[in-house]
Amino acid sequence: MAEKIVLALGGGGVKGIAHLGVVACLLEHNYEIEGIAGTSAGGMFGGPLAAQVTPHEIFNHVVDFFKNPDLKRNKKGGPSLAGTHGLETALAPFIQDKLIEDLPIKFVATAVSLKTGKEVLLDSGELMHAVLATIAIPGVFPAIGEEELVDGGVLDPVPVLPARAINPSLPIVAVVLNTKDPNAPQENQTLVDNDPLTDLIVDRLSKTVLGESLDIASRGLGLIGYQLAEVSLENSKPDVIVRPLVGHHGPLSNVNPQELFDEGYRAMQSQLKALEEANSLFNSLIRIAKYSTLPKTDNKK
């Protein structure tokens, strides 16, 4: 019988392709995913996964998108440097017109309301709405809805606690995308040559002081996000932490998708022993005793 787990998928832009490799490894080793909590890229890939689209099928569409990424703004969107029209088109076959509460795998995406400054858990309603909200990098992609929802990674880079609420008795596998390969050449983490977002920003702003300032600010926010993720993991204590070595890439770097997928698979494979131990009867009883009072997230009808 398959062992059940819950995933907490962190943000990281294109690096989120590694999530697909992680899930492919889990499925091939007979693990059943009961729930997924996703932030930013983790929400974007977690949505189709919760709809039980296979990692390889999602990967094939991702490759097609990143060959010619469309980051143009939608006329109906709010103020932003880039738009999500291309992403919506790429994701539509998997999540268009789907409701979160109808998904075969429980799902929650996290976002942040610019109006209240608080985290918002999106565990019901239109799946596309939730995905667009969780990936809405402030200022880069348009905020979503009346609450002005933006990227959940602003407050919660790896949504372990929302994942724990899905089923407190199951082990949480947290996938973190900020770990760098020490042997890889370092990239500018945000604005690099041949980066589609860079091209778009340069087209609008040119390489002026404003453009250079945006580069510096973005790198600074990236460092803050890294520290916030580590503090969050220390406090929330997921059962297993998977760290694909992809942190040296920028969020929209022009990288080989297959390498990201394979690195996710490798990283999960290296943690299978830890996951086996987390699923032991002893550790399961500890979780039940420790977290049984937490309210469960139930987005099923």
Side-chain angles (χ1 to χ4, degrees):
M1 188 172 71
E3 298 281 1
K4 293 184 178 182
I5 59 169
V6 177
L7 297 177
L9 304 182
V14 67
K15 294 176 286 188
I17 294 172
H19 290 317
L20 301 177
V22 168
V23 173
C25 180
L26 286 167
L27 296 178
E28 288 179 17
H29 287 84
N30 200 35
Y31 282 95
E32 180 182 342
I33 299 170
E34 175 155 323
I36 300 172
T39 292
S40 196
M44 183 178 76
F45 288 104
L49 289 168
Q52 287 190 327
V53 183
T54 69
H56 292 284
E57 189 175 353
I58 299 170
F59 176 81
N60 290 335
H61 273 69
V62 166
V63 170
D64 289 340
F65 172 78
F66 283 106
K67 284 179 180 176
N68 185 27
D70 176 6
L71 296 175
K72 294 179 182 177
R73 295 176 59 234
N74 190 320
K75 293 181 180 179
K76 296 181 180 179
S80 62
L81 289 171
T84 57
H85 174 74
L87 283 170
E88 291 180 59
T89 302
L91 293 170
F94 305 137
I95 67 175
Q96 187 70 47
D97 299 325
K98 292 185 183 295
L99 297 176
I100 295 174
E101 52 266 41
D102 293 338
L103 296 176
I105 294 174
K106 295 175 184 177
F107 178 70
V108 56
T110 69
V112 175
S113 170
L114 291 180
K115 286 192 173 182
T116 66
K118 296 181 180 180
E119 183 177 56
V120 177
L121 301 182
L122 302 168
D123 59 2
S124 64
E126 295 181 2
L127 180 56
M128 180 68 81
H129 172 85
V131 168
L132 293 180
T134 197
I135 66 171
I137 303 170
V140 177
F141 294 134
I144 302 298
E146 294 182 0
E147 291 185 86
E148 296 183 336
L149 299 178
V150 297
D151 192 326
V154 170
L155 293 181
D156 192 4
V158 188
V160 175
L161 295 181
R164 184 79 71 190
I166 290 175
N167 190 329
S169 69
L170 295 180
I172 304 299
V173 177
V175 186
V176 190
L177 303 178
N178 59 21
T179 307
K180 299 178 182 180
D181 182 347
N183 300 316
Q186 296 303 300
E187 294 184 13
N188 181 325
Q189 294 296 301
T190 52
L191 300 180
V192 295
D193 291 337
N194 300 319
D195 181 309
L197 182 56
T198 302
D199 294 341
L200 192 66
I201 293 172
V202 168
D203 181 57
R204 292 177 182 269
L205 302 178
S206 77
K207 292 185 177 179
T208 60
V209 172
L210 181 58
E212 293 171 1
S213 298
L214 179 62
D215 183 7
I216 295 169
S218 298
R219 277 186 271 175
L221 289 173
L223 291 173
I224 294 171
Y226 172 82
Q227 296 298 332
L228 184 60
E230 294 306 309
V231 171
S232 174
L233 291 170
E234 179 63 27
N235 291 333
S236 59
K237 300 187 184 321
D239 299 88
V240 177
I241 301 177
V242 182
R243 295 182 180 272
L245 299 179
V246 297
H248 51 287
H249 297 302
L252 280 172
S253 292
N254 185 14
V255 296
N256 184 337
Q258 188 65 55
E259 291 180 6
L260 295 171
F261 184 99
D262 293 345
E263 177 55 24
Y265 192 103
R266 182 210 64 79
M268 184 64 248
Q269 195 169 38
S270 73
Q271 293 298 306
L272 288 175
K273 182 64 176 178
L275 181 54
E276 182 180 346
E277 293 176 359
N279 258 312
S280 69
L281 177 60
F282 176 74
N283 285 318
S284 296
L285 291 174
I286 289 177
R287 274 193 304 274
I288 292 172
K290 189 173 183 179
Y291 301 115
S292 60
T293 57
L294 289 177
K296 288 187 178 182
T297 295
D298 186 1
N299 50 34
K300 300 288 187 183
K301 280 189 173 179

